Amino acid sequence: MKTLLVALLLCISITISPNVYSKNTLKVLSWHGYTDQNVVTAFKTKHRIDVEITYINNDRELRNHIEDSNKQYDVVALNSAELRRYIKLLKVDPINTSKISNLKWLSDQFTPLSSNPETSYSSDVYGIPYTFSSMGLIYSKDRVDQPPRTWRALWSQIYQNKVLGYDGGTHNVSLAAIALGLPDPFQIPSQHDKQIAEQLITLRENALTFYDSVNEATELFNKFELSLMFANYGHQQLNALRKSGANVGYIIPDEGALAWVDCWAILADSAHTDLAHLWIDFLLEPWVQRSLIDRHGLQSSLGQFSQQTSQEKLIWLSPVESGSKREAMWNAVYSGKSLSTVLKHIERFTP
């Protein structure tokens, strides 16, 4: 009788298990390079579910997707500053870390997660670190005699029309603040609006153009034989340029460099939180993390910081005073508006 019962249970298990999630689709919001096809295929095969991935190029697109009431995602990759913003907006749910066995591989730099301000709030964990990078300065070894030691090189007339910038207001405002020597590039009082706007207009006039993806940056840098580039995507960009044959170097200027930690988070309106936990756990598999390094030049959250990284002056991203105001300022600058028009354009964001 016992043998018959065990056989029956096994039969039920075999019948049900492969189809538990078969009618569900996990919806993922991801950056390029984070979810290669072979990784997605392996996950789908292991758990017998469908995965639908939407790729983004910048934080502006990220916000648009998350905040669009007509769209729904289960799990998202976002930097720790955006994560903290969405924690306050109640847009992400705490993660049940007991469901993620591969946390055992996570670097000591990020643990314990429950007391890490980048990933937790009130001891609840909201983000699982996936990859990280500095946002340094890339330079052409063929066209730049000495590696630039300051961010002000991006504004130097020596490199007029030889600079490639990034099309993003949040980070560009922070970069301008660093170049100006302001004490906090993330919380900038409104009395500095004019100074920041002037700096951004000068950058616009000195740069050839601005990119919004790794592929576009690589193409533009090579096609126009540019000299300097702000590496918003960090080592991923450096890797892409070197793979293309470009003879480039990478430096952290003396003022320091912005740096990001990208995490996986589960959105509050997720219809498949169990699947989202499975996804996050799977992407912490050592072989998946190895592919981030080998294919894309990304840095793994499983590895300890190198001595060089530990010694670099990194300015980890933090929530800004107003992302909307920064994007409005940058959009006005990028579209060619004058200083007075730019300042007029952001008046509605000034208390």
Side-chain angles (χ1 to χ4, degrees):
M1 183 69 180
K2 182 178 179 181
T3 304
L4 180 60
L5 179 60
V6 170
L8 181 60
L9 289 172
L10 284 173
C11 182
I12 293 172
S13 175
I14 291 170
T15 303
I16 294 177
S17 295
N19 298 309
V20 170
Y21 300 120
S22 61
K23 294 182 179 180
N24 295 327
T25 298
L26 183 70
K27 296 186 177 182
V28 179
L29 196 57
S30 175
W31 299 83
H32 293 278
Y34 287 15
T35 49
D36 286 338
Q37 187 57 51
N38 69 311
V39 173
V40 176
T41 299
F43 176 80
K44 290 167 65 175
T45 301
K46 180 177 181 179
H47 295 291
R48 297 177 180 272
I49 62 170
D50 290 327
V51 178
E52 180 182 300
I53 299 181
T54 300
Y55 288 103
I56 50 175
N57 289 310
N58 53 56
D59 290 335
R60 182 173 59 249
E61 291 181 6
L62 172 84
R63 296 184 198 114
N64 288 342
H65 280 285
I66 292 177
E67 295 167 21
D68 187 340
S69 59
N70 294 317
K71 296 178 180 178
Q72 185 181 46
Y73 300 95
D74 298 299
V75 62
V76 57
L78 73 177
N79 69 55
S80 57
E82 291 294 328
L83 174 63
R84 283 184 278 173
R85 176 172 175 266
Y86 284 117
I87 291 173
K88 289 184 177 181
L89 292 174
L90 305 179
K91 288 284 190 177
V92 290
D93 273 349
I95 293 172
N96 185 346
T97 55
S98 68
K99 294 183 177 182
I100 304 178
S101 61
N102 282 321
L103 286 178
K104 62 190 176 188
W105 304 115
L106 205 60
S107 165
D108 294 342
Q109 254 80 21
F110 301 112
T111 57
L113 289 173
S114 59
S115 60
N116 184 338
E118 302 292 327
T119 58
S120 68
Y121 180 75
S122 295
S123 297
D124 286 327
V125 175
Y126 287 87
I128 304 300
Y130 185 57
T131 183
F132 66 94
S133 182
S134 57
M135 301 159 70
L137 185 58
I138 291 176
Y139 63 94
S140 168
K141 293 183 177 181
D142 297 328
R143 296 180 286 275
V144 177
D145 294 332
Q146 293 292 328
R149 298 302 316 176
T150 173
W151 285 110
R152 291 190 296 276
L154 295 176
W155 281 264
S156 172
Q157 290 190 341
I158 296 173
Y159 301 111
Q160 188 165 29
N161 292 325
K162 289 296 181 181
V163 169
L164 183 59
Y166 171 66
D167 180 14
T170 300
H171 299 330
N172 280 347
V173 169
S174 293
L175 186 63
I178 292 172
L180 288 167
L182 298 183
D184 185 347
F186 307 116
Q187 296 296 319
I188 303 173
S190 57
Q191 59 259 36
H192 292 295
D193 286 349
K194 181 174 182 290
Q195 197 177 9
I196 292 290
E198 287 175 332
Q199 191 79 349
L200 291 177
I201 289 172
T202 305
L203 179 62
R204 178 194 72 198
E205 293 171 347
N206 206 53
L208 178 69
T209 189
F210 298 83
Y211 67 89
D212 68 1
S213 70
V214 173
N215 289 340
E216 184 183 25
T218 302
E219 181 182 351
L220 291 170
F221 196 86
N222 289 330
K223 180 178 179 180
F224 295 102
E225 298 183 342
L226 300 178
S227 299
L228 301 177
M229 174 165 59
F230 168 48
N232 181 77
Y233 302 97
H235 290 275
Q236 187 179 13
Q237 275 176 267
L238 181 65
N239 182 69
L241 276 167
R242 286 177 173 169
K243 280 188 173 181
S244 74
N247 183 23
V248 292
Y250 184 89
I251 191 168
I252 303 297
D254 293 341
E255 301 97 333
L258 299 171
W260 46 260
V261 178
D262 274 5
C263 304
W264 287 106
I266 299 174
L267 291 166
D269 59 354
S270 168
H272 307 297
T273 56
D274 285 343
L275 300 186
H277 281 85
L278 289 175
W279 172 262
I280 294 172
D281 188 53
F282 185 82
L283 292 184
L284 290 182
E285 291 280 354
W287 73 268
V288 175
Q289 290 282 311
R290 185 74 245 176
S291 71
L292 285 177
I293 299 169
D294 294 342
R295 290 185 183 179
H296 304 290
L298 289 162
Q299 292 166 284
S300 169
S301 63
L302 307 189
Q304 302 299 324
F305 284 11
S306 67
Q307 184 177 0
Q308 178 182 349
T309 299
S310 298
Q311 292 174 346
E312 290 172 339
K313 184 179 180 182
L314 301 182
I315 307 167
W316 296 98
L317 296 184
S318 184
V320 299
E321 75 292 323
S322 173
S324 299
K325 177 181 176 180
R326 289 183 174 216
E327 293 299 336
M329 176 184 284
W330 172 246
N331 289 339
V333 169
Y334 193 23
S335 64
K337 300 294 192 296
S338 65
L339 176 61
S340 60
T341 304
V342 171
L343 295 177
K344 184 73 174 176
H345 187 66
I346 62 171
E347 276 184 357
R348 66 185 186 277
F349 298 102
T350 304

Short mmCIF file of all heavy atoms in Angstrom, two decimals, residues 249-294:
data_model
loop_
_atom_site.label_atom_id
_atom_site.label_comp_id
_atom_site.label_asym_id
_atom_site.label_seq_id
_atom_site.Cartn_x
_atom_site.Cartn_y
_atom_site.Cartn_z
N GLY A 249 41.98 54.02 -23.49
CA GLY A 249 42.29 53.85 -22.08
C GLY A 249 41.12 54.32 -21.23
O GLY A 249 40.16 54.92 -21.74
N TYR A 250 41.22 54.05 -19.94
CA TYR A 250 40.13 54.36 -19.01
C TYR A 250 40.75 54.91 -17.73
O TYR A 250 41.71 54.33 -17.21
CB TYR A 250 39.34 53.09 -18.72
CG TYR A 250 38.12 53.25 -17.84
CD1 TYR A 250 36.88 53.53 -18.40
CD2 TYR A 250 38.19 53.07 -16.46
CE1 TYR A 250 35.74 53.66 -17.60
CE2 TYR A 250 37.07 53.17 -15.65
CZ TYR A 250 35.85 53.47 -16.23
OH TYR A 250 34.73 53.58 -15.44
N ILE A 251 40.20 56.01 -17.25
CA ILE A 251 40.79 56.65 -16.08
C ILE A 251 39.72 57.20 -15.16
O ILE A 251 38.64 57.60 -15.61
CB ILE A 251 41.76 57.77 -16.52
CG1 ILE A 251 42.61 58.26 -15.33
CG2 ILE A 251 41.02 58.93 -17.18
CD1 ILE A 251 43.76 59.15 -15.74
N ILE A 252 40.03 57.17 -13.86
CA ILE A 252 39.21 57.84 -12.86
C ILE A 252 39.87 59.19 -12.58
O ILE A 252 40.97 59.23 -12.00
CB ILE A 252 39.11 57.03 -11.56
CG1 ILE A 252 38.57 55.62 -11.83
CG2 ILE A 252 38.24 57.76 -10.54
CD1 ILE A 252 37.16 55.58 -12.39
N PRO A 253 39.27 60.29 -12.99
CA PRO A 253 39.89 61.61 -12.76
C PRO A 253 40.11 61.90 -11.27
O PRO A 253 39.53 61.25 -10.40
CB PRO A 253 38.89 62.58 -13.39
CG PRO A 253 38.19 61.76 -14.43
CD PRO A 253 38.05 60.40 -13.81
N ASP A 254 40.92 62.89 -11.01
CA ASP A 254 41.29 63.22 -9.63
C ASP A 254 40.09 63.60 -8.76
O ASP A 254 40.11 63.39 -7.54
CB ASP A 254 42.31 64.37 -9.62
CG ASP A 254 43.65 63.96 -10.22
OD1 ASP A 254 43.91 62.75 -10.30
OD2 ASP A 254 44.42 64.87 -10.62
N GLU A 255 39.05 64.17 -9.38
CA GLU A 255 37.86 64.55 -8.60
C GLU A 255 37.05 63.33 -8.15
O GLU A 255 36.16 63.45 -7.32
CB GLU A 255 36.94 65.46 -9.42
CG GLU A 255 37.58 66.75 -9.91
CD GLU A 255 38.08 66.62 -11.35
OE1 GLU A 255 38.40 65.47 -11.77
OE2 GLU A 255 38.13 67.64 -12.04
N GLY A 256 37.38 62.17 -8.72
CA GLY A 256 36.59 60.97 -8.48
C GLY A 256 35.61 60.73 -9.61
O GLY A 256 35.47 61.57 -10.52
N ALA A 257 34.93 59.61 -9.58
CA ALA A 257 33.97 59.28 -10.64
C ALA A 257 32.69 58.73 -10.03
O ALA A 257 32.71 58.04 -9.00
CB ALA A 257 34.57 58.26 -11.59
N LEU A 258 31.59 59.05 -10.68
CA LEU A 258 30.32 58.43 -10.31
C LEU A 258 30.44 56.91 -10.47
O LEU A 258 31.23 56.42 -11.28
CB LEU A 258 29.19 58.94 -11.20
CG LEU A 258 28.92 60.45 -11.16
CD1 LEU A 258 27.92 60.84 -12.26
CD2 LEU A 258 28.40 60.87 -9.79
N ALA A 259 29.68 56.17 -9.70
CA ALA A 259 29.70 54.71 -9.78
C ALA A 259 28.32 54.17 -9.45
O ALA A 259 27.59 54.76 -8.65
CB ALA A 259 30.75 54.13 -8.82
N TRP A 260 27.95 53.08 -10.09
CA TRP A 260 26.63 52.50 -9.87
C TRP A 260 26.71 51.03 -9.46
O TRP A 260 27.64 50.31 -9.82
CB TRP A 260 25.73 52.64 -11.10
CG TRP A 260 26.35 52.28 -12.43
CD1 TRP A 260 26.85 53.15 -13.36
CD2 TRP A 260 26.51 50.97 -12.99
NE1 TRP A 260 27.32 52.46 -14.46
CE2 TRP A 260 27.12 51.12 -14.26
CE3 TRP A 260 26.20 49.69 -12.55
CZ2 TRP A 260 27.42 50.03 -15.08
CZ3 TRP A 260 26.51 48.59 -13.36
CH2 TRP A 260 27.12 48.78 -14.62
N VAL A 261 25.73 50.61 -8.68
CA VAL A 261 25.47 49.20 -8.39
C VAL A 261 24.08 48.91 -8.93
O VAL A 261 23.10 49.51 -8.49
CB VAL A 261 25.50 48.90 -6.88
CG1 VAL A 261 25.18 47.42 -6.63
CG2 VAL A 261 26.85 49.25 -6.28
N ASP A 262 24.00 48.01 -9.89
CA ASP A 262 22.69 47.64 -10.42
C ASP A 262 22.18 46.40 -9.70
O ASP A 262 22.91 45.42 -9.50
CB ASP A 262 22.77 47.38 -11.93
CG ASP A 262 22.61 48.67 -12.73
OD1 ASP A 262 22.54 49.75 -12.11
OD2 ASP A 262 22.57 48.60 -13.97
N CYS A 263 20.91 46.47 -9.31
CA CYS A 263 20.29 45.40 -8.53
C CYS A 263 19.06 44.87 -9.26
O CYS A 263 18.47 45.55 -10.10
CB CYS A 263 19.83 45.95 -7.17
SG CYS A 263 21.12 46.74 -6.19
N TRP A 264 18.68 43.65 -8.90
CA TRP A 264 17.39 43.12 -9.33
C TRP A 264 16.38 43.40 -8.22
O TRP A 264 16.68 43.20 -7.04
CB TRP A 264 17.45 41.63 -9.61
CG TRP A 264 18.18 41.29 -10.87
CD1 TRP A 264 19.42 40.75 -10.99
CD2 TRP A 264 17.68 41.50 -12.20
NE1 TRP A 264 19.75 40.61 -12.32
CE2 TRP A 264 18.70 41.05 -13.09
CE3 TRP A 264 16.51 42.01 -12.73
CZ2 TRP A 264 18.56 41.11 -14.47
CZ3 TRP A 264 16.36 42.07 -14.11
CH2 TRP A 264 17.38 41.62 -14.97
N ALA A 265 15.22 43.87 -8.60
CA ALA A 265 14.15 44.17 -7.64
C ALA A 265 12.83 43.64 -8.18
O ALA A 265 12.65 43.50 -9.39
CB ALA A 265 14.06 45.68 -7.40
N ILE A 266 11.92 43.36 -7.26
CA ILE A 266 10.60 42.84 -7.63
C ILE A 266 9.58 43.97 -7.49
O ILE A 266 9.46 44.59 -6.42
CB ILE A 266 10.21 41.66 -6.72
CG1 ILE A 266 11.23 40.51 -6.90
CG2 ILE A 266 8.80 41.16 -7.07
CD1 ILE A 266 11.01 39.36 -5.94
N LEU A 267 8.87 44.24 -8.56
CA LEU A 267 7.90 45.33 -8.56
C LEU A 267 6.66 44.98 -7.74
O LEU A 267 6.23 43.81 -7.68
CB LEU A 267 7.53 45.70 -9.99
CG LEU A 267 8.69 46.35 -10.76
CD1 LEU A 267 8.41 46.39 -12.25
CD2 LEU A 267 8.95 47.76 -10.24
N ALA A 268 6.09 46.00 -7.13
CA ALA A 268 4.98 45.80 -6.21
C ALA A 268 3.75 45.21 -6.88
O ALA A 268 2.96 44.52 -6.23
CB ALA A 268 4.63 47.11 -5.53
N ASP A 269 3.56 45.47 -8.16
CA ASP A 269 2.39 44.94 -8.85
C ASP A 269 2.71 43.67 -9.64
O ASP A 269 1.96 43.28 -10.54
CB ASP A 269 1.77 46.00 -9.77
CG ASP A 269 2.75 46.50 -10.84
OD1 ASP A 269 3.93 46.12 -10.79
OD2 ASP A 269 2.31 47.28 -11.70
N SER A 270 3.81 43.01 -9.30
CA SER A 270 4.17 41.76 -9.97
C SER A 270 3.08 40.72 -9.77
O SER A 270 2.57 40.54 -8.66
CB SER A 270 5.50 41.23 -9.42
OG SER A 270 5.72 39.90 -9.86
N ALA A 271 2.76 40.03 -10.84
CA ALA A 271 1.78 38.95 -10.77
C ALA A 271 2.45 37.61 -10.49
O ALA A 271 1.77 36.60 -10.26
CB ALA A 271 1.00 38.88 -12.08
N HIS A 272 3.79 37.61 -10.50
CA HIS A 272 4.51 36.34 -10.37
C HIS A 272 5.74 36.50 -9.46
O HIS A 272 6.87 36.34 -9.89
CB HIS A 272 4.95 35.85 -11.75
CG HIS A 272 3.85 35.75 -12.75
ND1 HIS A 272 2.78 34.91 -12.61
CD2 HIS A 272 3.65 36.41 -13.92
CE1 HIS A 272 1.96 35.05 -13.64
NE2 HIS A 272 2.46 35.95 -14.45
N THR A 273 5.50 36.79 -8.20
CA THR A 273 6.63 37.04 -7.31
C THR A 273 7.48 35.79 -7.09
O THR A 273 8.69 35.88 -6.93
CB THR A 273 6.14 37.58 -5.95
OG1 THR A 273 5.19 36.66 -5.39
CG2 THR A 273 5.47 38.93 -6.12
N ASP A 274 6.86 34.62 -7.07
CA ASP A 274 7.65 33.39 -6.91
C ASP A 274 8.60 33.19 -8.08
O ASP A 274 9.76 32.80 -7.90
CB ASP A 274 6.72 32.17 -6.79
CG ASP A 274 6.04 32.09 -5.42
OD1 ASP A 274 6.53 32.77 -4.50
OD2 ASP A 274 5.04 31.37 -5.30
N LEU A 275 8.10 33.46 -9.28
CA LEU A 275 8.96 33.34 -10.46
C LEU A 275 10.07 34.39 -10.43
O LEU A 275 11.20 34.13 -10.86
CB LEU A 275 8.13 33.51 -11.74
CG LEU A 275 7.00 32.52 -11.98
CD1 LEU A 275 6.40 32.75 -13.36
CD2 LEU A 275 7.49 31.09 -11.85
N ALA A 276 9.75 35.57 -9.93
CA ALA A 276 10.75 36.63 -9.84
C ALA A 276 11.89 36.22 -8.91
O ALA A 276 13.07 36.48 -9.19
CB ALA A 276 10.11 37.93 -9.36
N HIS A 277 11.57 35.57 -7.82
CA HIS A 277 12.60 35.07 -6.92
C HIS A 277 13.46 34.01 -7.61
O HIS A 277 14.70 34.00 -7.46
CB HIS A 277 11.97 34.48 -5.65
CG HIS A 277 11.55 35.51 -4.64
ND1 HIS A 277 10.32 36.13 -4.70
CD2 HIS A 277 12.19 36.03 -3.56
CE1 HIS A 277 10.21 36.98 -3.68
NE2 HIS A 277 11.33 36.95 -2.97
N LEU A 278 12.83 33.13 -8.37
CA LEU A 278 13.58 32.11 -9.12
C LEU A 278 14.53 32.78 -10.11
O LEU A 278 15.68 32.33 -10.28
CB LEU A 278 12.61 31.19 -9.86
CG LEU A 278 11.77 30.22 -9.02
CD1 LEU A 278 10.79 29.48 -9.91
CD2 LEU A 278 12.66 29.23 -8.28
N TRP A 279 14.07 33.82 -10.76
CA TRP A 279 14.88 34.54 -11.74
C TRP A 279 16.12 35.15 -11.10
O TRP A 279 17.24 34.99 -11.58
CB TRP A 279 14.02 35.63 -12.39
CG TRP A 279 14.75 36.59 -13.28
CD1 TRP A 279 15.20 37.84 -12.95
CD2 TRP A 279 15.10 36.40 -14.66
NE1 TRP A 279 15.81 38.43 -14.02
CE2 TRP A 279 15.76 37.58 -15.09
CE3 TRP A 279 14.90 35.37 -15.57
CZ2 TRP A 279 16.23 37.74 -16.39
CZ3 TRP A 279 15.38 35.52 -16.88
CH2 TRP A 279 16.03 36.70 -17.27
N ILE A 280 15.91 35.85 -9.99
CA ILE A 280 17.04 36.50 -9.31
C ILE A 280 18.04 35.45 -8.83
O ILE A 280 19.25 35.62 -8.99
CB ILE A 280 16.52 37.34 -8.12
CG1 ILE A 280 15.67 38.51 -8.63
CG2 ILE A 280 17.69 37.87 -7.29
CD1 ILE A 280 14.95 39.28 -7.52
N ASP A 281 17.54 34.36 -8.28
CA ASP A 281 18.43 33.30 -7.80
C ASP A 281 19.25 32.72 -8.95
O ASP A 281 20.46 32.50 -8.82
CB ASP A 281 17.60 32.21 -7.13
CG ASP A 281 18.46 31.17 -6.45
OD1 ASP A 281 19.33 31.56 -5.63
OD2 ASP A 281 18.29 29.96 -6.72
N PHE A 282 18.60 32.50 -10.07
CA PHE A 282 19.28 31.92 -11.24
C PHE A 282 20.39 32.83 -11.75
O PHE A 282 21.47 32.36 -12.13
CB PHE A 282 18.25 31.66 -12.35
CG PHE A 282 18.82 30.95 -13.54
CD1 PHE A 282 18.97 29.57 -13.54
CD2 PHE A 282 19.20 31.66 -14.68
CE1 PHE A 282 19.48 28.91 -14.64
CE2 PHE A 282 19.72 31.01 -15.78
CZ PHE A 282 19.86 29.64 -15.77
N LEU A 283 20.14 34.13 -11.76
CA LEU A 283 21.14 35.06 -12.30
C LEU A 283 22.33 35.26 -11.38
O LEU A 283 23.31 35.91 -11.77
CB LEU A 283 20.49 36.40 -12.63
CG LEU A 283 19.50 36.37 -13.79
CD1 LEU A 283 18.99 37.76 -14.10
CD2 LEU A 283 20.13 35.78 -15.04
N LEU A 284 22.28 34.71 -10.19
CA LEU A 284 23.45 34.72 -9.32
C LEU A 284 24.28 33.45 -9.45
O LEU A 284 25.27 33.29 -8.74
CB LEU A 284 23.01 34.90 -7.86
CG LEU A 284 22.45 36.27 -7.47
CD1 LEU A 284 22.11 36.30 -5.99
CD2 LEU A 284 23.43 37.39 -7.80
N GLU A 285 23.87 32.56 -10.36
CA GLU A 285 24.69 31.37 -10.63
C GLU A 285 26.07 31.83 -11.09
O GLU A 285 26.19 32.73 -11.94
CB GLU A 285 24.05 30.51 -11.70
CG GLU A 285 22.77 29.82 -11.31
CD GLU A 285 23.02 28.56 -10.49
OE1 GLU A 285 24.20 28.17 -10.34
OE2 GLU A 285 22.03 27.98 -10.00
N PRO A 286 27.15 31.24 -10.56
CA PRO A 286 28.50 31.66 -10.96
C PRO A 286 28.75 31.67 -12.46
O PRO A 286 29.41 32.57 -12.98
CB PRO A 286 29.40 30.66 -10.23
CG PRO A 286 28.62 30.32 -8.99
CD PRO A 286 27.18 30.27 -9.44
N TRP A 287 28.17 30.70 -13.20
CA TRP A 287 28.42 30.67 -14.64
C TRP A 287 27.74 31.84 -15.35
O TRP A 287 28.27 32.35 -16.35
CB TRP A 287 27.97 29.33 -15.25
CG TRP A 287 26.49 29.13 -15.38
CD1 TRP A 287 25.66 28.54 -14.48
CD2 TRP A 287 25.66 29.53 -16.48
NE1 TRP A 287 24.36 28.54 -14.94
CE2 TRP A 287 24.33 29.12 -16.18
CE3 TRP A 287 25.90 30.17 -17.71
CZ2 TRP A 287 23.27 29.35 -17.04
CZ3 TRP A 287 24.83 30.39 -18.57
CH2 TRP A 287 23.53 29.98 -18.23
N VAL A 288 26.59 32.29 -14.83
CA VAL A 288 25.92 33.45 -15.41
C VAL A 288 26.76 34.70 -15.16
O VAL A 288 26.98 35.53 -16.05
CB VAL A 288 24.51 33.63 -14.82
CG1 VAL A 288 23.86 34.90 -15.35
CG2 VAL A 288 23.63 32.42 -15.15
N GLN A 289 27.25 34.82 -13.94
CA GLN A 289 28.09 35.97 -13.59
C GLN A 289 29.39 35.97 -14.40
O GLN A 289 29.87 37.03 -14.80
CB GLN A 289 28.40 35.94 -12.10
CG GLN A 289 27.19 36.25 -11.21
CD GLN A 289 26.88 37.73 -11.15
OE1 GLN A 289 27.76 38.54 -10.93
NE2 GLN A 289 25.63 38.09 -11.36
N ARG A 290 29.91 34.79 -14.67
CA ARG A 290 31.14 34.70 -15.46
C ARG A 290 30.91 35.25 -16.87
O ARG A 290 31.77 35.91 -17.46
CB ARG A 290 31.59 33.24 -15.54
CG ARG A 290 32.91 32.98 -16.23
CD ARG A 290 34.06 33.41 -15.34
NE ARG A 290 34.79 34.53 -15.92
CZ ARG A 290 35.78 35.14 -15.32
NH1 ARG A 290 36.15 34.79 -14.11
NH2 ARG A 290 36.40 36.15 -15.91
N SER A 291 29.72 35.00 -17.41
CA SER A 291 29.41 35.48 -18.77
C SER A 291 29.31 37.00 -18.80
O SER A 291 29.62 37.63 -19.81
CB SER A 291 28.13 34.84 -19.29
OG SER A 291 26.99 35.35 -18.63
N LEU A 292 28.86 37.62 -17.69
CA LEU A 292 28.84 39.08 -17.63
C LEU A 292 30.23 39.65 -17.82
O LEU A 292 30.43 40.65 -18.51
CB LEU A 292 28.30 39.54 -16.26
CG LEU A 292 26.82 39.44 -15.96
CD1 LEU A 292 26.56 39.89 -14.53
CD2 LEU A 292 26.00 40.27 -16.92
N ILE A 293 31.20 39.00 -17.19
CA ILE A 293 32.59 39.46 -17.26
C ILE A 293 33.17 39.20 -18.64
O ILE A 293 33.73 40.09 -19.28
CB ILE A 293 33.43 38.75 -16.18
CG1 ILE A 293 32.89 39.06 -14.78
CG2 ILE A 293 34.90 39.15 -16.29
CD1 ILE A 293 33.49 38.21 -13.67
N ASP A 294 33.04 37.96 -19.10
CA ASP A 294 33.71 37.55 -20.35
C ASP A 294 33.11 38.21 -21.58
O ASP A 294 33.84 38.60 -22.51
CB ASP A 294 33.66 36.03 -20.50
CG ASP A 294 34.47 35.30 -19.43
OD1 ASP A 294 35.33 35.96 -18.80
OD2 ASP A 294 34.24 34.10 -19.21
#
